[in-house]
Amino acid sequence: MHDDISLTTGRVKRVLDERIRPMVYSDSIPLEVSWHELAGEPIPALEGIALDYTETPVGTQWGAAWGTTWFKLRGQVPKHWAGRRVEAVIDLGFDINMSGFQCEGLIYRPDGVTIKALNPRNQWVPVSDSAEGGEQLELFLEAASNPVLLDYHPFLPTEQGDLLTSSPRKLYTIRRMDLAVFEPVVHDLVLDLEVLLDLQAQLPEGPRRMQILQALDNSMDVLDLQHIVLTAQSARDQLVQVLAAPAEHSAHKISAIGHSHIDSAWLWPLRETIRKVSRTCSSMVELLDYDEEFIYGMSSAQQYAWLKEHRPEVWERVKQAVADGRFLPLGGMWVESDTVMPSGESLVRQFLYGQKFFRDEFGITSAGVWLPDSFGYSPALPQLMRRAGFEWFFTQKISWNQQNKFPHHSFLWEGIDGSRIFSHFPSMDTYNSQLSGEEVAKASRQFREARVTNNSIAPVGWGDGGGGTTREMTGKARRLANLEGSAMVKWEHPNDFFDRAQQEMPSPPVWVGELYLELHRATLTSQHQTKQGNRRTEQLLVEAELWAATASIYAGTQYPYEQIDSLWQTVLLHQFHDILPGTSIAWVHREVVARYAQVIEQAEALIAASQQALAGTGSKPLTFNAAPYERSGLSFGAAGEVETTTGGAVHAVGQNNGYLLENSLVRIFVTSEGLITSAVDLSTGRDAIAQGQEANLLQLHQDFPNMWDAWDVDKYYRNQVTDLRELESIQLSQDSDGSAKLSIVRSFSKSKVVQELVLAPGSRTLQITQSTDWHEAEKFLKVAFPLDIRAEHTIAETQFGYHQRVTHVNTSWEAAKFETSMHRFVLAQEPGFGAALINDSIYGFDVTRDSTEAGISTTLRLSLLRAPRFPDPHTDQGLQTHRYGLVIGADIASATKAGALLNSAERVISGAQSVDPLVRLEGAGLVVSSVKLASDQSGDLVVRVYESLGRRARGTLELNTQFTAVNTVTLLEDPLADETTDVVDGAVQLALGAFEVRTLRFKL
């Protein structure tokens, strides 16, 4: 036979687009439309329904950016439609390619109860399955005119990303508001043809493909293009045989789960996310009624909490669907957070508050962590997931790697402590599947573990901006359940998938260490004030818990459970993976900075009240130490009077070519340009600065990535660099405590930097406080420290430990890590000597391994500021502050301590009495992470400790109060079976593995 493939497919596509799809609605009449445009923010539904409405015609422009317009729709079902399925069809001016990224709507009945959402891929509203004819209809539509910011030419700077700067111009035009007759047979024909067209395109030339093509031709031959409705069933009959052919025994199996990855903020503000959640959930519970096999999953306890607070009628429907096992709470976290930058305690609280909400509201606990879209995954996560009781982990973002293809889809992920968790990446490389033929074929073709198992997950539905699964997708799933030539699709709970996959893979492959995303590396730096607020509030809340618990036990004060919970939930929300990484619109980050200020104010008030209760009323100056190390003679959790002895002033002199700063431990030389050319550890005579090199050198790079401006920095940025040497002034001074201080002022381009370099008596750390008046565009500011250290690895702090990365670029995997993460320190060391950089709000750094006449040196550069113009065209503009420092002669222990002290300020108040520490921990490398009262408000004390040096450790933990029992518990503070806790003479005996996190619960 002649090859007529293109003739057949071209025929079907044209008939489908121009004749069949338009006849899914065979008859329609216009609705009566009136509207009310709100002048300000959204209002509750019943208030919107009660507004005064003005008649408006279809074709009217509506909706300024971020506005809300209420529409009243009225009509009557014609009597001759009796017995037909009737729907309202509403087109607000949708672009079907922008689902989740433009205008959306939510339909209400006159009593304020929601029906379902409207979006570009979901423009219908159910009216009657079988109309009687003559029914009166009245609907109310709350329409959100969200602007399209990620358009066909993406990443263009726009002022539309903030209500304060957006344009009043109307963005959309009403295209259609009709009552219409829905033709289910025509709709089914559309899906039949789409599935078969997609399938044949993925098949090799052979009998199966040819039979499908012939069936498509036969279907077109019997379809009367002037009488689509009358002949649609005959056309379907020609396809029955090819649609009924069963899949091969070896066919890949896809576990589908309805899904809508709703970013808790991104190209829309938090207030709009609340409405997106309401809209999507309304549609999903409607679809659950429409399709009995369909199940839907949603993560993020925060989104459920919003639903409960703002849309109680939708919440009740969701709650019932959860009880029925059809609507699945996933992930067990407060939000789908970033996992690289949050502290260890923050990740613990993501799990604690997420699982607590699901338990309290639904009586369930999530079995796995669901993070499809976060930008890389910390190597501390496996232990934390396991210690929180999770059994599996799901993501897909690593498929976005620029350079290296990840070698597994189902595997064990091993963390820094050796914990392993079964993990899965969907082999179709998306969390927004439409169940297209290309996606389904890709899932089968790419699956890496096919020798031993043959299953993958497919999250199905429109996401990012919400929308969820459509009836077209559920219709495709029915056809793909058992279809020759295709993978087999089945709606299934992820728990069932993971149970089966683990049974089929008794010896899965293992990936050790971080899941580094070879993309979005600049998220470690963008929106500095957001990151600074995160670090500060994390520290303050842990400190507030410490002093509140101590005051509750010592002074009998009431522990502020509700307030602490509320503050933590605010911080956790803003760790969402498009907020903390700095990739949201200006509106989001403007609000985030303001909310951090509120959290700081409230946390400071809690701390002050607890400390005053402990100190009593008096005039003694009492210093409180919340750092997990001794400082000023005070143990962790203690307060008392501190002697002001300095141990001698720092020797500081100006010379012709610079300044010499020296104390009992280190000697530092700073040039007249404010650059460090020597930093000697006096005990060893080693100079930390590479010979002939200059540290504290600010460097400015051109920063214009190929795409994803706020997210990405591409490796070619290093090709253009400007060293910022020009100096306005430099001045040496001596502080009253004996410290020496160099004040340095530089101007460049439109910006200005003021630095204070301070060396304190008895300190190995040269601390740098920097204030930058930043007015650059598409620039990247770094500060370089070339070190005379032949480091084989950098050692960067991560949650509850550290992570080592090689300094060479032997392989493409190593070369891809040209920008990496840290928490409070990064250390470069060789046997016998090291130097560390510590910081209070920096997460990104890079390292280069350089060859000099003196040998191999290691340059560490901290990433300070960026200036991307999308999605916030004014990112980081204005005054920015940093604190960082060079620790000379450092090792892991001293770097860990220095980083902790820099991030925890001493507090001095007037009082009557000193305070003994509530908790005493002894043991090299053991660190207290948190001290708090149990979240169940039982009054039990919870103490979390971890091993910080990466080796096995023993120690003891004592309480300065009586307890009747102590147990090792999960991160959720639940009892652990088969865990024994030894107590000798009132002290808990500890034996921890490398980086092990141990949570102890004391019954007082």
Side-chain angles (χ1 to χ4, degrees), residues 19-27 181 183 186-187 228-229:
R19 293 291 186 270
I20 304 174
R21 282 199 183 95
M23 291 306 295
V24 169
Y25 293 102
S26 59
D27 196 4
V181 174
E183 300 292 351
V186 179
H187 184 257
I228 296 291
V229 174

Side-chain angles (χ1 to χ4, degrees), residues 45-46 106-109 111-115 142 278-279 281-282 285 307-320:
L46 291 177
L106 184 57
I107 292 284
Y108 297 86
R109 298 194 317 228
D111 60 2
V113 174
T114 60
I115 301 176
E142 180 192 23
S278 302
R279 291 190 284 257
C281 288
S282 296
V285 291
L307 202 63
K308 181 180 180 183
E309 178 183 358
H310 296 280
R311 287 288 190 274
E313 77 285 354
V314 183
W315 165 254
E316 289 302 324
R317 294 179 70 189
V318 167
K319 196 167 184 179
Q320 183 58 55

Side-chain angles (χ1 to χ4, degrees), residues 520-667:
H520 295 359
R521 301 168 181 90
T523 57
L524 300 170
T525 307
S526 297
Q527 296 286 0
H528 176 67
Q529 286 185 330
T530 295
K531 292 171 171 60
Q532 191 173 52
N534 175 72
R535 179 77 67 84
R536 182 67 177 142
T537 53
E538 287 176 328
Q539 173 64 34
L540 283 174
L541 290 183
V542 171
E543 185 177 355
E545 290 172 333
L546 166 67
W547 298 125
T550 306
S552 174
I553 293 169
Y554 283 179
T557 61
Q558 186 172 357
Y559 190 84
Y561 290 103
E562 287 76 16
Q563 191 172 1
I564 286 177
D565 287 350
S566 176
L567 293 175
W568 264 119
Q569 288 167 9
T570 298
V571 172
L572 299 178
L573 166 60
H574 295 132
Q575 290 172 346
F576 177 72
H577 65 252
D578 272 309
I579 300 179
L580 180 54
T583 53
S584 290
I585 55 175
W587 188 350
V588 172
H589 291 288
R590 172 170 56 82
E591 289 188 336
V592 166
V593 171
R595 288 192 180 101
Y596 279 140
Q598 294 169 359
V599 173
I600 289 170
E601 180 182 3
Q602 293 178 50
E604 293 278 12
L606 289 175
I607 291 168
S610 297
Q611 290 180 340
Q612 202 64 65
L614 290 164
T617 303
S619 58
K620 295 180 181 179
L622 299 172
T623 300
F624 282 75
N625 177 30
Y629 294 92
E630 183 177 299
R631 177 168 53 186
S632 302
L634 294 170
S635 300
F636 163 67
E641 294 184 83
V642 174
E643 295 184 17
T644 56
T645 56
T646 64
V650 173
H651 178 62
V653 295
Q655 300 177 346
N656 290 336
N657 59 343
Y659 303 87
L660 184 68
L661 313 178
E662 185 173 357
N663 63 18
S664 59
L665 298 177
V666 297
R667 182 175 64 245

Side-chain angles (χ1 to χ4, degrees), residues 62-63 67 91-95 98-105 118-121 142-148 171-173 175 272 276 279:
W62 72 280
D91 185 347
L92 293 170
F94 295 128
D95 178 343
M98 294 292 171
S99 189
F101 294 91
Q102 58 168 223
C103 61
E104 300 173 38
L118 296 172
N119 61 58
R121 297 282 182 164
E142 180 192 23
S145 48
N146 301 331
V148 177
L171 300 178
Y172 299 102
T173 301
R175 289 205 190 101
E272 194 57 32
K276 284 178 175 287
R279 291 190 284 257

